[in-house]
Amino acid sequence: MIAIKETFIMMGIAIMSCLVFGLPLGIMMFDSNPQIKGKRHFRYWLFNFFVTFVRSFPYLLFVITLIPLTRLLLGRAFGPYPASFPLSIIGVVIVARLVEQVLLDVPVETRALADALGATKWQYIWHFLLPEARSGLILAYTTAIVSLVSYSTVMGIIGGGGIGSFAILYGYQSYQYGIMALAIAMMILIVFVIQMIGNTVAYKLDKRK
């Protein structure tokens, strides 16, 4: 039960960070994307470099690299709360990239309608763009959460706790492969539940129905 609690702590913090920081970052990347504006923007390339750099960094090495910063900010580097720091960062960049891609797929007629009604940039984003893309955004958010479930198991290797740590300590290292199989089954079940909820919500919000 402790391992499950630690996993939900890590996941809860990371999921909220994705929503609070990942969605706005994705919107800003979309808003400054040269495909939309028709010209090159330094701000976009700055965002794009950050997102691409973090996503291309091997996750385990990324976590290890951040240990000094994690210890500086949180006072310690091990446990579910410190583990949520690198998990949140990787979650934010995944969501940001997916949000940008979803918004780029919104029909150009939506922008034309907003311009015809005299909407400002933020009115266009809030009242036209996001409602039009809401189904895709839910699916993107679901995909990011599923990825974070997988990433969270890695935290067990460097003392982050959670189901991954439980599987390694009490399953693999103790040669109790039944426990390891149980941990894997739990993670698969969590992923299935998350995906099912995401698909259901996205279907209900799909404006194309």
Side-chain angles (χ1 to χ4, degrees):
M1 292 300 294
I2 295 177
I4 296 176
K5 179 181 177 181
E6 290 174 341
T7 295
F8 277 102
I9 289 174
M10 287 188 288
M11 289 296 301
I13 295 174
I15 288 172
M16 287 303 300
S17 299
C18 289
L19 186 61
V20 173
F21 300 105
L23 179 60
L25 178 58
I27 293 174
M28 288 188 291
M29 291 181 65
F30 165 79
D31 184 58
S32 59
N33 193 299
Q35 296 182 42
I36 303 301
K37 297 292 185 179
K39 56 183 179 180
R40 301 170 69 89
H41 278 268
F42 173 76
R43 184 178 65 173
Y44 175 77
W45 298 117
L46 185 65
F47 292 150
N48 186 63
F49 173 80
F50 171 71
V51 169
T52 303
F53 176 79
V54 173
R55 290 190 65 191
S56 62
F57 213 111
Y59 183 65
L60 181 57
L61 298 180
F62 179 69
V63 173
I64 295 173
T65 303
L66 284 182
I67 285 179
L69 180 60
T70 304
R71 184 179 288 113
L72 176 65
L73 295 176
L74 302 178
R76 55 196 177 102
F78 305 106
Y81 290 102
S84 66
F85 178 61
L87 192 64
S88 296
I89 294 177
I90 194 69
V92 165
V93 298
I94 290 175
V95 168
R97 178 64 76 195
L98 292 175
V99 166
E100 178 197 20
Q101 293 173 351
V102 170
L103 297 183
L104 285 172
D105 288 335
V106 173
V108 294
E109 290 80 8
T110 304
R111 184 58 188 260
L113 175 61
D115 291 340
L117 295 174
T120 64
K121 180 176 70 174
W122 294 111
Q123 286 175 332
Y124 161 64
I125 292 174
W126 186 255
H127 296 290
F128 294 87
L129 186 64
L130 294 181
E132 184 69 26
R134 59 189 181 184
S135 178
L137 291 174
I138 293 296
L139 291 176
Y141 194 54
T142 302
T143 300
I145 294 174
V146 168
S147 297
L148 290 179
V149 172
S150 177
Y151 284 124
S152 70
T153 61
V154 178
M155 305 308 300
I157 300 177
I158 50 89
I163 297 177
S165 178
F166 176 81
I168 293 171
L169 292 177
Y170 299 100
Y172 177 74
Q173 293 182 356
S174 300
Y175 301 101
Q176 299 186 53
Y177 298 112
I179 293 179
M180 189 169 66
L182 176 61
I184 293 172
M186 291 173 60
M187 301 304 291
I188 293 175
L189 177 61
I190 291 173
V191 167
F192 266 93
V193 171
I194 293 172
Q195 191 67 62
M196 182 178 64
I197 293 174
N199 290 345
T200 301
V201 174
Y203 177 78
K204 291 183 178 297
L205 294 179
D206 193 347
K207 297 183 65 177
R208 294 170 298 180
K209 294 192 304 176

